[in-house]
């Protein structure tokens, strides 16, 4: 027969119950539920939503430039819609419960600066009239164009080299702008290595 617990002291079961109750109270008041109930949790901004919690529309393309409308300083913005039942602060700072049809924020995307030089026209001039320097005149290199005209495209060698360079988009307009190329068409992107480029070590078997 077990000896009775001494008077003035709590039974072990009661101590455990009180301890579990205290731990539950601490977890509720300091956890996400308690913070939300106390108003301590700040509402997330819509632009801080994770991938899958919002969807962005494709940019509206300018037919003349083939770049997104309102492209300024190499940046344009597209509207993004938070998923239904998402609550966040929109671009105006208002806390909104979204249904999937309201714009939550504007996402910046990169765009290019164009100044009226067409890639198709440059390639065509280089292919058919490159020996007269028409491609260089068109791109804003009058000195090289005149030199090609006087030497018949450096006896054809310079015309061939220019055709390759223009086709590969290595040579562009003299003002530093980009070619007008179909937005969803084929374009080359130059990759460069800088001091901030991370090189992953190659592991060979």
């Amino acid at each position: 027969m077990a000896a009775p617990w001494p008077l003035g002291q709590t039974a072990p079961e009661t101590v455990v119950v009180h301890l579990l109750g205290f731990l539950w109270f601490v977890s509720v008041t300091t956890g996400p539920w308690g913070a939300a109930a106390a108003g301590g949790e700040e509402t997330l901004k819509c632009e801080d939503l994770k991938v899958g919690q919002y969807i962005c529309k494709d940019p509206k393309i300018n037919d003349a430039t083939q770049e997104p409308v309102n492209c300024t300083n190499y940046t344009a913005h597209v509207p993004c819609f938070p998923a239904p039942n998402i609550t966040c602060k929109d671009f105006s700072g208002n806390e909104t419960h979204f249904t999937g049809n309201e714009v939550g924020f504007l996402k910046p995307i990169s765009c290019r600066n164009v100044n009226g030089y067409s890639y198709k026209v440059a390639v065509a001039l280089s292919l058919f009239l490159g020996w007269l320097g028409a491609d260089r005149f068109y791109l804003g290199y009058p000195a090289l164009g005149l030199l090609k005209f006087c030497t018949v495209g450096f006896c054809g060698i310079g015309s061939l080299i220019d055709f390759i360079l223009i086709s590969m988009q290595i040579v562009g307009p003299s003002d530093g702008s980009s070619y007008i190329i179909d937005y969803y068409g084929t374009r080359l992107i130059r990759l460069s290595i800088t001091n901030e480029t991370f090189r992953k070590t190659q592991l060979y078997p």
Side-chain angles (χ1 to χ4, degrees), residues 59-136:
K60 185 178 180 181
I61 305 303
N62 188 321
D63 293 335
T65 63
Q66 285 299 307
E67 292 297 319
V69 176
N70 298 327
C71 176
T72 305
N73 296 328
Y74 301 95
T75 304
H77 294 83
V78 294
C80 296
F81 301 83
N85 299 324
I86 292 288
T87 301
C88 60
K89 291 184 178 179
D90 59 13
F91 51 85
S92 300
N94 300 322
E95 183 176 337
T96 307
H97 184 76
F98 290 89
T99 62
N101 298 319
E102 303 88 356
V103 177
F105 63 98
L106 301 177
K107 181 179 180 180
I109 61 173
S110 61
C111 57
R112 304 183 311 157
N113 177 34
V114 296
N115 198 19
Y117 295 97
S118 172
Y119 174 69
K120 296 178 181 179
V121 173
V123 172
L125 289 176
S126 181
L127 178 61
F128 298 107
L129 298 176
W131 58 280
L132 294 176
D135 50 355
R136 288 290 182 169

Side-chain angles (χ1 to χ4, degrees), residues 14-71:
T14 307
V15 174
V16 172
V17 170
H18 286 309
L19 181 60
L20 291 177
F22 176 75
L23 293 177
W24 176 85
F25 176 77
V26 171
S27 64
V28 168
T29 55
T30 60
W33 301 280
E41 184 180 1
E42 185 177 356
T43 304
L44 188 70
K45 293 182 179 179
C46 292
E47 55 263 29
D48 295 331
L49 293 175
K50 297 180 181 180
V51 176
Q53 292 182 320
Y54 65 90
I55 185 171
C56 298
K57 281 190 173 181
D58 291 333
K60 185 178 180 181
I61 305 303
N62 188 321
D63 293 335
T65 63
Q66 285 299 307
E67 292 297 319
V69 176
N70 298 327
C71 176

